[in-house]
Amino acid sequence: MSDQSQGAVAAYHEAAVAKDAARVAMIRTHPAFPQAMALAARNLVEAYDGNRLLNRILNDRERSVFALMAIYLHSTPDAAGRGLTAGRIIDLCRETGLCSRGRAKAMLVLMRWAGYVEPSQDPVSIADRRQRPLVPTDLFRSMQTARWRSQFEAISLMDACGAAALARLESNAFRTLLIRALMARFRSGARVLDHAPALQLFAARDGGMLIVFQLLLSAPPGDTFPPEQVITVPVAELGRRFHVSRAHVLKLLRDAETAGLIERLPGPPGGVRMLKPLRESLAGFFAAVFLALSEAATDALAGEGEGSETPQNISPLPVVTRHPRKP
């Protein structure tokens, strides 16, 4: 990426963070937010697919964005009618700074191996071997739809657009509009982890985000959420659950302690206490995820409303997540 392009991305990024910060803070004040956060975290942990090869190429955060990019490009062909191709996703990864050309190519290879994408069977695509697109498989589409469903279930506890989105998730038209809205946010510089700085350490490690989510869900009965009391989860159990070594989990926890994110209690039974910077970042992370999905769903529902098939009983009117509209 050129210096000029990097400067443009940085400017978009700064503006996006400032615009979203107040609304992220507002979402966190909703009475149902702790319940929604717990449900979303539980759904993310349960959706873990255990694919260690994919984990080795991109970390948790990058994998989820790369998956969105693949679906987005498939649903948004270029001027020549090409959807998801190696060249297009490499260009998008470089434009947004997600990953290098080599990592993007490796991810596509592994996604084909895992059965997530396959070569297009369109006769025109087959004839052009250099630009033959890939298409998401039914497995891949169903996995992504299930992820969205799990997050909109959490959002529905706070905002009307969650239930509206759930009612439309089986619609190809709605999902296309949803993914385009999500990628528009990402390309404009919006990044969830800007509202969760302490999670950068976990996001950069294999299974790191899932490990911290599991700690979040292991709060003792009666504790606040995120938990303030001591959490006791065996390190070996975390390693087995997310297919990483015990040494990997220990290194992650030690680094988190050094960074002032957790306190580790010595000796048996041991345990971990989340410190305020980590608790604040976990809340900021889920609030930012809810904001991104709510706004994307609202735009998708509004886009569907321009056609003739939008159900009359769906009203895309989120309570606190809507961008202010100019009169």
Side-chain angles (χ1 to χ4, degrees):
M1 185 183 295
S2 67
D3 291 343
Q4 184 176 3
S5 297
Q6 288 178 337
V9 169
Y12 278 129
H13 178 234
E14 183 176 347
V17 174
K19 183 174 64 175
D20 287 347
R23 283 169 295 146
V24 166
M26 188 180 296
I27 291 170
R28 291 179 55 178
T29 67
H30 195 287
F33 177 66
Q35 183 184 357
M37 180 167 50
L39 178 58
R42 187 173 300 109
N43 287 338
L44 286 170
V45 169
E46 291 176 354
Y48 173 63
D49 62 12
N51 194 317
R52 285 178 284 179
L53 283 176
L54 293 177
N55 286 341
R56 292 299 181 267
I57 301 298
L58 297 177
N59 61 41
D60 298 333
R61 176 188 64 84
E62 292 166 342
R63 280 183 63 191
S64 63
V65 175
F66 194 91
L68 293 178
M69 286 181 172
I71 296 173
Y72 165 73
L73 292 173
H74 171 69
S75 63
T76 312
D78 62 12
R82 292 183 293 263
L84 172 60
T85 65
R88 290 190 77 204
I89 202 163
I90 287 169
D91 288 345
L92 188 52
C93 286
R94 295 178 66 183
E95 171 199 324
T96 58
L98 181 70
C99 65
S100 68
R101 174 187 180 91
R103 286 182 178 270
K105 291 180 69 174
M107 272 298 290
L108 276 183
V109 170
L110 286 178
M111 287 178 73
R112 287 189 62 178
W113 170 83
Y116 296 153
V117 296
E118 61 188 7
S120 171
Q121 297 304 310
D122 178 73
V124 176
S125 300
I126 293 173
D128 187 358
R129 293 185 179 274
R130 293 175 302 172
Q131 296 292 332
R132 185 175 179 183
L134 297 167
V135 296
T137 62
D138 289 343
L139 170 65
F140 187 33
R141 284 194 292 265
S142 65
M143 287 176 61
Q144 185 57 55
T145 301
R147 276 181 168 269
W148 281 329
R149 182 175 294 108
S150 71
Q151 297 307 298
F152 283 122
E153 285 175 356
I155 291 169
S156 68
L157 299 176
M158 300 185 297
D159 200 308
C161 79
L166 286 171
R168 299 299 295 153
L169 267 181
E170 297 306 316
S171 162
N172 288 329
F174 174 77
R175 291 198 303 268
T176 296
L177 292 169
L178 178 67
I179 191 64
R180 289 176 180 173
L182 285 170
M183 285 309 304
R185 282 182 59 88
F186 190 77
R187 295 179 82 169
S188 73
R191 298 292 185 270
V192 168
L193 287 182
D194 288 325
H195 305 280
L199 293 188
Q200 296 280 0
L201 184 150
F202 294 92
R205 311 291 180 90
D206 290 345
M209 293 294 282
L210 293 166
I211 288 170
V212 78
F213 293 161
Q214 186 61 61
L215 292 175
L216 179 69
L217 295 169
S218 302
D223 200 352
T224 58
F225 199 87
E228 297 183 18
Q229 298 181 30
V230 176
I231 301 162
T232 55
V233 180
V235 169
E237 179 182 323
L238 290 172
R240 285 193 299 270
R241 176 71 179 82
F242 302 115
H243 295 90
V244 293
S245 68
R246 183 176 182 276
H248 177 84
V249 178
L250 280 173
K251 177 69 162 59
L252 176 62
L253 295 178
R254 290 187 186 116
D255 289 346
E257 184 176 36
T258 300
L261 305 180
I262 64 171
E263 177 187 1
R264 296 170 64 227
L265 278 65
V272 168
R273 180 181 286 114
M274 290 185 173
L275 301 181
K276 185 176 180 179
L278 181 54
R279 297 197 306 271
E280 289 291 308
S281 278
L282 282 164
F285 172 83
F286 283 103
V289 169
F290 296 158
L291 172 64
L293 285 169
S294 295
E295 288 203 338
T298 301
D299 289 342
L301 290 162
E304 278 198 320
E306 297 172 2
S308 60
E309 298 182 0
T310 302
Q312 297 300 309
N313 62 339
I314 291 180
S315 178
L317 299 174
V319 178
V320 298
T321 57
R322 193 70 180 149
H323 276 300
R325 296 295 187 187
K326 294 182 180 180

